[in-house]
Amino acid sequence: MQPPIDHRPGAQIYGRAVFPHAHLTGISGLQPHEILFLLDEAEQWIEANRTRAKSDRRLDGLTQINAFFENSTRTLLSFEIAGKRMGADVVNMHAAQSSVKKGETLIDTAVTLNAMRADVIVIRHMSSGAVQLIADKVDCPVLNAGDGSHEHPTQALLDALTIRRRRGAIAHQRVVICGDILHSRVARSNILALTALAAEVRVVAPSTLMPAAIEKMHVTPFTDFDAALEGADVVMMLRLQNERMSGAFIPSTREYHLNYGLTPARLARAKPDALVMHPGPMNRGVEITSSVADMPGRSAITEQVEMGVAVRMACLDVLTRRARGVEGWA
Amino acid sequence: MNLTFANARLVCPEAGARAGDLHVVDGRIASEAGEGAQVVDCRGRILAPALIDLGVFAMDKAACRAGGIARIGLMPDQSPVLDGPGLVQRAADMGKPELWVHPIAAATRGLAGESLAEFATNAEAGARAVSTGRAWIADSGVMRRVLAYARDCGLTVITHAEDGGLTGSAVATEGETATRLGLPAAPAIAEALAVARDIMLAEQTGAAIHFRQLTTAAAFDLVRAARARGVAVSCGITPAHLLLSDINVTDFRTFARLSPPLRDEHDRQAALAALGDGTIDVLCSGHDPQGPEEKRLPFADATPGMAGATTLLALGLGLVRDERITLQRLFAMLSRTPARLLGIAAGSLEPGMPADLVLVDPDAPWQIDADRMPGKAGNTPFDGLPVQGKALRLFKGGSEVG
């Protein structure tokens, strides 16, 4: 098979790079064709990751800093693997062991990372808008790995890629997103990406976990999970954070499971071949039962993880093309 | 020194606007020229009572001078909190000689919302009102005692109207913008809930209550209804809530992080209507300068507040130009009514009043520039806005503030 290529014909529109953005801070602000371009770029890495010797040296000599101000295992690992597979020197900075704890401001941290001549910075932060704040202060591309309740763009891209590969298309798919919509950056980025690509999106949550005016984002809100599931092509469950489970937003995990847990009986309301997704990590027995999470042919949960690496490779590749002087991107 | 302001367009909140001369004798406005009066040719420009800014959080002389402000009602949210006579007296002396500082004492000790501060003692030390500060008093029993006791002392209670249980850790008004940005948000009715309770308590105790800022349609309706029943209720607003709405926090602009937060367009229009029909009594700056260490942060981590003293007059004149209010009413909102609420004889051009005067060129064009704002900080949500109207000269007690 062909080795992955750095850029393909059609990577330019009207003489400009098809993906003109310096950073990836969110799905908001991306055009549908730009989202599709990133998905197309990711496709090539899926096969490469599966079959050939997993080494590509295009990011050779570049320094990728993963600055994670909020704990994460899988997203951090995914970004680290993505960078290393393309030859980047990957450095992880954890908030727990950083000077952030000593009162250094976010801007000072950003300036410091910039002064170390990072070539790409991946950031996760607990405050909405924090990644944009850093992106405005540094010279290299910044990738948002999740900021507060705002956005988590690579998650939305990997979810869209999973849906496209498993369902054949994204347009006109009925996607049901169920869980803590109020606090979920995954939900927001997915809503933006899926509606941009013409999917029909339904969001399901108890009213205590549903943000105001969510219908302005062109989705249909439901409090009744069963009703929302009718005719669904994709059922995307969200993780319920521990601190929100006991009384503050919902009475108990038991009651949450009763109304919003994805069980085999409930899944039967969706289309017979409906896809089950979860961004992980799962609370088995709370938002999803193990039999559904592990259902062969229906659950795409491990595939999502695989797509995550491919999508993050594509994003790192695309965002560094200008600095690497790739033809058509300089 | 005696002065005569000649060829002025005099704007008095009480007597109205007229062209003519104004005399100042021994620091007070007089009906006839004093001996050896120096003549100031106003060249047809506006001469009005200097601004009295009710409810600012910092004493900022440079910003006040640029904004034509001669007196401020200083909020008790200082460090330390203005809850004792020594601190109140020190605050009252702080602005001399350029600026009159009228301290607003804390209603409860340490502004903790629990035990009453010494209202009468603090009033004797110079406090002109009592206030709950930036926060709401959650305990209705405490608030009732604050109002009852303030009535006994003849002091107005200045409150912040946001139900703390609903606002919690919110930094924005619930709605499409907050939802898209993923910001913690509270429903706008948090304000009306607080207003409804406080009006009922004020009505029952017979106290005079002033809501420093009201910003929602439901709250204005409550004030209208209460006033019709004869409750001594008044309210203020800043230009931000008249001219901006929650879409201005898009892109996480921390200069637009205010308390209360910016509202949706429906509430902004209601605020303009309440301005037009006289429901709103006071236009204030809410001056709260915050440097980059408080503002160059993620939106939810930034400190709320804006620097407003420098821009208050120009933005107010814009409301006149837009025919929302008359010039006379603007200066009533900027001087006479704040003076009345603070119980001070000022804010008018009547003979005998202190000669706190501002000479205004209402047409002078300039651009609001956050990087070049006079005063302690430039955290204005109006950065870049072209405006008209400048305070050319400012006089306090007949002496020019340089």
Side-chain angles (χ1 to χ4, degrees):
Chain A
M1 82 168 262
Q2 291 282 315
I5 52 167
D6 229 9
H7 67 290
R8 59 191 70 220
Q12 289 201 332
I13 290 182
Y14 302 122
R16 286 181 78 202
V18 67
F19 193 85
H21 308 279
H23 310 288
L24 182 67
T25 54
I27 300 295
S28 168
L30 297 189
Q31 300 288 325
H33 73 266
E34 293 164 359
I35 298 172
L36 290 171
F37 172 73
L38 291 176
L39 300 187
D40 291 346
E41 287 291 320
E43 290 276 2
Q44 62 180 321
W45 296 111
I46 300 166
E47 279 309 308
N49 283 339
R50 281 177 188 169
T51 56
R52 66 192 192 86
K54 300 181 189 67
S55 70
D56 179 285
R57 307 299 300 170
R58 71 181 57 186
L59 300 192
D60 205 3
L62 299 194
T63 304
Q64 171 189 339
I65 300 183
N66 298 328
F68 276 55
F69 297 87
E70 188 183 75
N71 284 334
S72 159
T73 308
R74 42 179 68 211
T75 304
L76 177 60
L77 205 55
S78 184
F79 270 107
E80 184 170 358
I81 290 169
K84 284 183 171 165
R85 291 227 172 120
M86 294 187 294
D89 299 320
V90 184
V91 185
N92 294 330
M93 191 196 91
H94 301 275
Q97 63 198 50
S98 79
S99 50
V100 176
K101 284 256 165 88
K102 298 171 195 158
E104 185 177 77
T105 69
L106 191 57
I107 300 264
D108 288 339
T109 309
V111 169
T112 304
L113 297 181
N114 196 45
M116 292 175 182
R117 302 278 168 222
D119 296 295
V120 58
I121 303 178
V122 179
I123 297 163
R124 167 167 289 194
H125 196 279
M126 50 295 218
S127 279
S128 302
V131 175
Q132 183 63 55
L133 193 67
I134 294 177
D136 292 342
K137 297 288 171 219
V138 299
D139 303 318
C140 68
V142 168
L143 261 146
N144 183 358
D147 62 329
S149 305
H150 179 222
E151 285 234 41
H152 191 357
T154 55
Q155 179 71 42
L157 292 170
L158 74 89
D159 287 338
L161 185 61
T162 307
I163 294 171
R164 190 171 77 171
R165 286 171 63 88
R166 288 287 288 263
R167 303 290 303 173
I170 293 166
H172 311 303
Q173 295 287 302
R174 177 173 289 175
V175 182
V176 176
I177 305 176
C178 177
D180 182 1
I181 310 290
L182 181 63
H183 301 99
S184 176
R185 54 192 172 216
V186 175
R188 280 174 182 75
S189 286
N190 260 305
I191 288 170
L192 291 168
L194 294 170
T195 54
L197 300 177
E200 179 204 339
V201 179
R202 295 175 162 188
V203 292
V204 188
S207 295
T208 49
L209 291 174
M210 187 73 90
I214 188 72
E215 68 281 356
K216 296 272 175 65
M217 295 185 79
H218 313 291
V219 300
T220 315
F222 285 79
T223 52
D224 181 347
F225 193 14
D226 291 330
L229 282 169
E230 295 297 337
D233 296 284
V234 177
V235 186
M236 193 182 286
M237 302 305 294
L238 299 176
R239 176 181 164 78
L240 191 63
Q241 300 289 333
N242 290 323
E243 63 268 25
R244 303 193 175 112
M245 286 183 192
S246 52
F249 290 88
I250 52 160
S252 66
T253 52
R254 184 170 68 177
E255 185 148 320
Y256 185 80
H257 183 73
L258 178 71
N259 283 336
Y260 299 100
L262 188 62
T263 59
R266 210 163 239 152
L267 184 59
R269 293 176 175 271
K271 283 190 181 164
D273 57 348
L275 205 60
V276 174
M277 299 173 72
H278 193 298
M282 288 180 278
N283 299 304
R284 288 173 183 262
V286 181
E287 69 260 8
I288 191 164
T289 60
S290 282
S291 52
V292 174
D294 304 330
M295 200 177 278
R298 302 289 296 277
S299 171
I301 295 170
T302 49
E303 195 175 332
Q304 285 174 271
V305 178
E306 186 187 3
M307 294 305 123
V309 176
V311 156
R312 284 162 188 138
M313 290 173 82
C315 291
L316 290 167
D317 171 23
V318 168
L319 287 174
T320 54
R321 282 184 192 176
R322 193 167 304 144
R324 288 187 285 126
V326 174
E327 190 194 341
W329 292 79
Chain B
M1 193 201 326
N2 298 336
L3 292 168
T4 291
F5 291 90
N7 306 318
R9 185 176 165 204
L10 300 170
V11 178
C12 176
E14 289 178 322
R18 67 177 175 89
D21 299 349
L22 187 92
H23 308 291
V24 174
V25 178
D26 295 334
R28 292 187 174 271
I29 295 165
S31 46
E32 291 186 13
E35 204 173 308
Q38 189 184 328
V39 177
V40 177
D41 185 358
C42 299
R43 300 182 190 186
R45 287 175 176 142
I46 290 173
L47 188 69
L51 275 54
I52 302 172
D53 198 355
L54 182 61
V56 304
F57 291 92
M59 194 203 57
D60 192 344
K61 287 181 183 173
C64 288
R65 165 61 193 88
I69 296 165
R71 295 168 187 260
I72 57 170
L74 183 68
M75 291 296 279
D77 312 68
Q78 307 296 316
S79 178
V81 169
L82 303 182
D83 61 357
L87 295 163
V88 167
Q89 192 166 12
R90 184 175 151 272
D93 291 340
M94 211 161 49
K96 288 175 180 173
E98 306 97 314
L99 182 68
W100 269 108
V101 177
H102 299 293
I104 299 167
T108 55
R109 285 177 203 273
L111 287 171
E114 287 159 10
S115 53
L116 298 187
E118 298 169 305
F119 290 15
T121 310
N122 289 337
E124 199 164 270
R128 308 302 315 197
V130 295
S131 174
T132 65
R134 292 180 198 273
W136 186 65
I137 292 181
D139 187 321
S140 302
V142 172
M143 189 60 184
R144 179 161 177 261
R145 290 190 285 278
V146 163
L147 286 159
Y149 195 65
R151 192 262 332 264
D152 293 351
C153 299
L155 294 169
T156 300
V157 178
I158 299 175
T159 84
H160 180 83
E162 275 188 297
D163 183 306
L166 274 183
T167 50
S169 59
V171 300
T173 304
E174 215 170 73
E176 184 184 351
T177 303
T179 291
R180 282 183 182 274
L181 297 180
L183 293 174
I189 58 160
E191 179 174 286
L193 270 181
V195 169
R197 185 200 73 172
D198 288 352
I199 281 178
M200 279 190 187
L201 293 173
E203 186 168 14
Q204 205 237 355
T205 55
I209 191 166
H210 175 73
F211 297 100
R212 190 169 62 84
Q213 300 181 76
L214 290 188
T215 58
T216 62
F220 294 124
D221 286 344
L222 289 166
V223 168
R224 285 186 194 103
R227 198 169 275 165
R229 296 197 303 275
V231 183
V233 55
S234 56
C235 63
I237 197 167
T238 69
H241 286 95
L242 290 166
L243 300 171
L244 306 175
S245 64
D246 61 355
I247 56 168
N248 289 84
V249 308
T250 304
D251 296 339
F252 301 101
R253 292 206 324 168
T254 57
F255 281 6
R257 170 143 192 234
L258 307 176
S259 172
L262 289 170
R263 306 301 189 183
D264 70 9
E265 183 62 15
H266 167 76
D267 279 327
R268 186 180 84 89
Q269 293 297 334
L272 285 169
L275 178 79
D277 71 14
T279 305
I280 298 173
D281 307 278
V282 171
L283 189 64
C284 58
S285 74
H287 192 62
D288 194 0
Q290 302 285 352
E293 60 277 15
E294 308 297 334
K295 284 292 190 184
R296 280 173 62 185
L297 294 169
F299 191 86
D301 304 333
T303 306
M306 63 175 162
T310 306
T311 55
L312 178 62
L313 177 63
L315 294 169
L317 288 165
L319 295 169
V320 175
R321 200 170 295 111
D322 293 346
E323 300 182 347
R324 300 281 180 188
I325 45 173
T326 64
L327 201 54
Q328 180 183 354
R329 185 156 145 64
L330 173 67
F331 279 96
M333 296 179 78
L334 289 173
S335 61
R336 184 69 196 112
T337 310
R340 186 172 55 73
L341 289 167
L342 291 170
I344 50 179
S348 155
L349 298 184
E350 295 294 295
M353 285 288 184
D356 297 345
L357 301 165
V358 61
L359 182 65
V360 178
D361 179 349
D363 301 316
W366 58 289
Q367 191 169 16
I368 297 174
D369 182 347
D371 295 331
R372 291 196 215 156
M373 288 259 281
K376 291 181 173 166
N379 51 310
T380 171
F382 295 105
D383 190 21
L385 186 74
V387 289
Q388 278 179 273
K390 263 192 168 164
L392 300 177
R393 300 176 73 177
L394 177 66
F395 298 85
K396 171 175 169 274
S399 311
E400 180 154 15
V401 180

